[in-house]
Amino acid sequence: VVLGTESVVNYTPMNELDYGTLLCWSNNSIGVQDHPCVFQIVAAGKPDPPHNCRVFDVTISSLQVTCLAGDDGGLMQKFMLQVYQIGAMSPVVEVTRSTPSYSVANLRPATAYKIIIAAINEKGTS
């Protein structure tokens, strides 16, 4: 569709074979475009997990943790931190944020914990 000085295409992949490279050319009274516009159509998927996590500023009852985000799978992602007391089935802390960086407080001294950080988007959890 031509909208003034803009051309728009609506493309909806219907199956796995519809993903890949989409090329487009334009032409007008002056001539035809020499090299096409190239678009890579990629299926959205689950995000990659955060990586290079670092724990710092550890005290007897608190800590800071930060990670680098992995690939978002082509969709907006958020990050969930869960802190489990070793042996417990449910988290003592669960926080979701837009970046993988957290401050965790009110931990019990002399207690072992497990920390899980995951990325989440509309397609699932890393």
Side-chain angles (χ1 to χ4, degrees):
V1 176
V2 177
L3 304 169
T5 59
E6 225 177 70
S7 295
V8 177
V9 62
N10 289 320
Y11 183 80
T12 305
M14 301 307 254
N15 63 53
E16 292 299 316
L17 297 175
D18 293 338
Y19 294 96
T21 304
L22 182 65
L23 305 175
C24 67
W25 289 266
S26 66
N27 66 319
N28 60 19
S29 59
I30 297 172
V32 177
Q33 182 175 338
D34 286 336
H35 303 286
C37 301
V38 179
F39 298 92
Q40 294 298 326
I41 310 300
V42 180
K46 292 180 183 180
D48 287 341
H51 59 281
N52 290 3
C53 294
R54 185 172 69 96
V55 177
F56 58 99
D57 289 343
V58 178
T59 71
I60 62 169
S61 63
S62 67
L63 58 86
Q64 305 280 325
V65 62
T66 187
C67 303
L68 297 176
D71 182 78
D72 61 12
L75 299 167
M76 289 275 295
Q77 66 181 340
K78 57 188 174 185
F79 301 91
M80 181 175 59
L81 168 125
Q82 294 175 313
V83 179
Y84 290 85
Q85 186 173 330
I86 297 298
M89 298 304 275
S90 58
V92 294
V93 175
E94 184 169 292
V95 180
T96 301
R97 302 201 54 203
S98 60
T99 61
S101 182
Y102 303 90
S103 178
V104 180
N106 301 319
L107 299 174
R108 291 176 46 198
T111 304
Y113 292 97
K114 173 174 72 171
I115 297 173
I116 297 174
I117 300 176
I120 303 165
N121 69 16
E122 289 179 18
K123 293 291 185 171
T125 302
S126 64

